[in-house]
Amino acid sequence: MEGTRLEKLQKLREKNLAYPYRFEVSHYIGEVRNKYEKPTNGEEVVVKGSVKRVSKTEEGFLVRLAENGVEMLVITEEELKTGQEYTLKGKVGRYEGKLCLYHASLETGGELQSIRLLKSSYDLEPEREEVSLGGRLVTLRSMGKALFGHLQDATGRIQIYLSKDTVGEDAFKEFEELVDTGDILGVRGRLFRTNTGELTVEVKSYTLLAKSLHAMPEKWHGLKDVEVRYRQRYLDLISNEEARRIFLIRSKLVQGVRNFLNKEGFLEVETPILQHVASGANAKPFLTYHNYLEQNLYLRIAPELFLKRLIVGGFNRVYELGKNFRNEGVDTTHNPEFTMVEFYVAYWDYTDLMDFTERLISHVLLSTIGTLKVNYKGREIDFTPPYRRYKYFELLKEKTGKGKDFFVKDLEGLRKLARDVGVPKADSLTHSKLIDKVFDLLVEDELWGPCFVLDFPRLLSPLAKTHREDPELVERFELFVAGKELANAYTELNDPIDQRDRFMQQLRENEMGDEEAMQMDEDFITALEYGMPPTAGEGIGIDRLVMIVAGVDSIREVILFPALRRL
């Protein structure tokens, strides 16, 4: 904490002005901006004007271009000379709240647009509407008898203007003495536009709502230290617009998933987080202990077996959107706690789910970002159905020249292949793990997709129904996008005798050293013995889907508080 800020807080306490209980706001900042600023749509225009000022930014040269006393901002890669007149062509956007011409280049022809008319079509006059706004003070500069700053909340940023003549000399002096960037401020005043066209609040009165005892990250140019961004996400959200964008996308995406499933007649349910048996997926669980019950419990690795119990109970369509917990490593696509949606449909098989998945993803993308095309790592991903479909063992054969029989029946040959291609600890892995790791290493990264990989080996899928045409396979698919598994689905195994045999095989694999093998769930088998109709089920990783939609390559970017080592 800064000593000077603490001293200012003490003065506020002495005046009984520290930490007021409430402040009446008339609007969120974004609501005001949306009311008086029409959204830009990237319209390409040609304008002409003289250069008033040029400065260098990360995006290029920022130019103030004037025409008959009216100014607008231009961003160009070419440095223009102050005082010279230019004709420029670019796309209309906004820069720090002001109308701006992006990617501008010199133009010799084209139909000129008046800067005044261009601005009037996007920037509406507020007619000095009275507003009351709250937010964090993110910039502050003194102009002698006046102060300019910017207030920011999660919805946007707006300029404020304080003058001695408006707020009074005492209030103005108190602002100068006690207020710093980072403080939470409430202001009341009238809206107007400055000479540069920026929407601004002329402050009549203000209230200091909370004092920031720490200086904000480097002049609000964005917090760059990745470790600090993840450990102190609040600072990341304050200073990085991109971080706020990602988590707004996440919220809209989750809502889109819920809306689609609800409209399709699914019932949203909740199943236990604390479970007696760690099953439903191949993963190492977290173990805890319940004092009153005097027994070990596990944080769930998947809700699957409980959701299928509900199908047995008569609910035909169920889903759960929530957290799972797996005691696994942390990397760009794995976090120990993560979010999935799992849904189950009676009387369907996995072919029904493929079509349904395409419809679900389309709905979510259109409701979240308004398009089925996403740019990820410089490449376009088109989610327009239908998605390509590949067979699991055909993909392996393309990479190794070896067919299904080799992978299913030649364990020693498979182990040697795994060693040759660089699978870690190949000599100690079980048969199913060897197949899985070879596929991961040789195939997954090239599945840019979106695409479905179908018909997995039975060895890998203890909860999936045996393929109706090949007993060595199961009716299962995974959805891959940009080398990442986004979804896993199958025609559900509903034969209790077969299911018991599969669990027994999992126990044998656990004894052979596979810590991720499933545990036996006797009650689930009992549920199947009462009869479960033909069913199809699927799980979709929300975190990974957000990564693709938001265009980021680390799961930590899309989880507000990711798992980190304690300092």
Side-chain angles (χ1 to χ4, degrees), residues 16 38 59 182 198 217 227 255 303 326 337 380 389 444 467-468:
N16 200 29
K38 292 183 179 179
E59 298 177 334
E198 186 168 1
E227 188 75 9
Q255 191 61 52
R326 298 180 184 178
E337 62 174 296
E380 183 181 84
R389 302 183 183 191
E444 282 196 4
H467 199 286
R468 66 197 75 182

Side-chain angles (χ1 to χ4, degrees), residues 427-532:
D427 289 328
S428 61
L429 295 179
T430 61
H431 193 168
S432 59
K433 282 291 183 185
L434 284 169
I435 299 175
D436 188 39
K437 296 299 182 184
V438 169
F439 185 89
D440 288 353
L441 194 64
L442 298 183
V443 179
E444 282 196 4
D445 285 346
E446 297 185 14
L447 297 175
W448 194 255
C451 63
F452 295 117
V453 177
L454 317 179
D455 302 342
F456 279 60
R458 191 173 185 271
L459 284 167
L460 284 179
S461 313
L463 298 170
K465 200 174 184 84
T466 302
H467 199 286
R468 66 197 75 182
E469 296 175 1
D470 188 336
E472 292 174 334
L473 305 178
V474 291
E475 295 193 350
R476 172 184 175 187
F477 72 78
E478 289 185 356
L479 172 63
F480 284 91
V481 180
K484 299 175 177 63
E485 174 206 337
L486 290 193
N488 184 25
Y490 28 88
T491 306
E492 300 295 337
L493 178 56
N494 60 343
D495 179 341
I497 297 173
D498 191 1
Q499 184 63 81
R500 179 179 290 278
D501 290 341
R502 305 278 195 96
F503 277 147
M504 292 301 295
Q505 177 60 35
Q506 288 290 294
L507 293 178
R508 288 190 288 271
E509 295 202 5
N510 181 264
E511 291 170 358
M512 295 167 62
D514 185 357
E515 294 181 322
E516 297 182 349
M518 293 185 201
Q519 297 179 7
M520 174 74 76
D521 190 331
E522 290 285 358
D523 181 72
F524 174 65
I525 294 173
T526 301
L528 292 183
E529 289 173 348
Y530 280 94
M532 185 174 81

